[in-house]
Amino acid sequence: MTGHITCFGEVLLRFATPSHRLMVQCDALDMVVGGAEANVAAGLASLGHAVGMVTRLPASPLGDKARSALAAAGVDTRHVANGPGRMGLYFLESGAGLRPSAITYDRAGSTFAQSAPQDFDFAAALDGARLLHLSGITPALGPGGVALAKAAVRAAQEAGVPICFDGNYRALLWESWDSNPREILNELVSAATVMIGNHRDISLLLGKDFSGDGEDRRREAAEAAFAAFPKLQYIASTARHVVNAAHHRIAARIDAREAAYQTDEVEVTQIVDRIGTGDAFAVGVLHRWLEGADITRMAQAGLAYTVLKHSLPGDMCLIGPGELDAFSASGGDVRR
């Protein structure tokens, strides 16, 4: 497979409480396959791109479930390996009203987390690739995850493949071990052409705060990141205002070295599922970037895909290019 996108990271099973219940109220949970990088892989495949996933799963029915979900979404699984260990899990209590959703991880000792760089054939997976996508979740898993992320980035650099790095900062994971996220993430972001992250992510990377408010602060942060990371060309971010669990206001932004574009806010109401919407934003941005679009269309597509994901249950957004192109912030009647 050539001209493809390679996504690298852990695939998880998500167990969610139905009907916005608390965990203590439930006797059954809804199970879906997810994980940040897998969500991006599935979304890009749904938009017509050739995408391959690089990961490692247990040789078990749960691992088989994850593999089949990727394949069903159109993702190439030839570089999805099996190994000893267990499936990484997370549990979601779905919020409602002013009660936010809550996540509990159960992924320690997973097959992926116990893997070593030599367990993956990065060179083969990246041969002929147009892009490597990975996120800050992999290094947050611990020293082994740091080694995996660095190995993937090094292989992409050796192959001359551009890198998209999504900060995806997960405090619960970083704080579970003696970590130095700033030092680790700086090394990874320095290799990226595209970064998914906002001014708070940049503050973490550079160890500084940014003055001003709104768009001015975001531009100041972007310019600082471009100065610190010479290879970086685009920074994609969202601005989200949470009214309650079912009502958010969202705008999307792309910063390039010489220009920036931020969309107007869109009112997102009757939210079905908030999880995976950041990954959907990355999908829309990368979809247009891979097409050679300008920053305006990149931001608009990122906004559209993330808004559409709020209407879908589960981690993955499997909406195709026709519905993305037809997106209207006002919604509308049934399409016939």
Side-chain angles (χ1 to χ4, degrees), residues 250-261:
I250 306 173
R253 180 182 178 91
I254 303 289
D255 283 274
R257 288 188 168 266
E258 303 301 329
Y261 174 77

Side-chain angles (χ1 to χ4, degrees), residues 9 188 207 237 266 275 281 297 308 310 325:
L188 298 171
S237 63
V266 170
I275 306 302
F281 171 68
R297 296 188 67 217
L308 289 167
H310 286 77
D325 293 341

Side-chain angles (χ1 to χ4, degrees), residues 22-315:
L22 296 174
M23 197 67 67
V24 296
Q25 296 176 292
C26 293
D27 297 315
L29 299 170
D30 296 327
M31 182 180 72
V32 297
V33 175
E37 301 84 0
N39 295 342
V40 172
L44 287 171
S46 297
L47 290 175
H49 297 276
V51 186
M53 187 74 199
V54 180
T55 194
R56 203 157 176 249
L57 298 169
S60 71
L62 297 182
D64 294 343
K65 167 69 175 176
R67 183 189 294 268
S68 65
L70 289 170
V75 177
D76 189 311
T77 61
R78 74 184 73 182
H79 294 292
V80 175
N82 289 121
R86 56 176 292 251
M87 192 76 198
L89 313 176
Y90 80 92
F91 296 84
L92 171 67
E93 284 186 317
S94 303
L98 297 179
R99 176 174 60 85
S101 296
I103 285 175
T104 301
Y105 290 112
D106 180 22
R107 58 198 298 176
S110 70
T111 298
F112 182 85
Q114 294 187 87
S115 299
Q118 58 267 28
D119 293 322
F120 301 95
D121 190 348
F122 291 116
L126 290 164
D127 184 25
R130 301 175 64 191
L131 180 72
L132 168 67
H133 176 79
L134 74 163
S135 86
I137 294 177
T138 295
L141 296 177
V146 174
L148 292 177
K150 288 183 177 181
V153 165
R154 186 164 54 250
Q157 291 176 309
E158 292 172 355
V161 175
I163 295 168
C164 173
F165 188 82
D166 189 337
N168 263 335
Y169 187 76
R170 299 290 186 266
L172 291 176
L173 295 177
W174 285 108
E175 292 167 4
S176 68
W177 60 287
D178 185 18
S179 62
N180 187 340
R182 179 175 300 158
E183 177 182 324
I184 293 164
L185 293 174
N186 264 275
E187 181 176 343
L188 298 171
V189 173
S190 68
T193 298
V194 181
M195 172 186 168
I196 312 293
N198 60 23
H199 61 283
R200 289 184 292 273
D201 297 293
I202 297 170
S203 290
L204 171 67
L205 290 170
L206 303 184
K208 62 180 294 187
D209 294 324
F210 299 101
S211 59
D213 195 16
E215 294 188 36
D216 290 340
R217 180 170 57 184
R218 288 172 178 268
R219 186 59 192 173
E220 181 185 350
E223 289 175 347
F226 288 134
F229 305 113
K231 195 167 186 177
L232 192 60
Q233 299 300 314
Y234 299 99
I235 301 170
S237 63
T238 57
R240 180 187 296 268
H241 296 95
V242 178
V243 180
N244 58 48
H247 180 190
H248 296 181
R249 296 195 299 269
I250 306 173
R253 180 182 178 91
I254 303 289
D255 283 274
R257 288 188 168 266
E258 303 301 329
Y261 174 77
Q262 182 162 322
T263 70
D264 293 333
E265 280 190 334
V266 170
E267 299 276 348
V268 184
T269 58
Q270 298 177 316
I271 292 173
V272 172
D273 197 329
R274 160 78 171 83
I275 306 302
T277 57
D279 305 321
F281 171 68
V283 169
V285 169
L286 292 175
H287 172 59
R288 292 294 186 230
W289 180 72
L290 290 161
E291 291 182 335
D294 60 21
I295 61 173
T296 298
R297 296 188 67 217
M298 289 166 62
Q300 291 170 341
L303 178 66
Y305 216 67
T306 193
V307 168
L308 289 167
K309 169 60 188 77
H310 286 77
S311 71
L312 298 174
D315 264 37

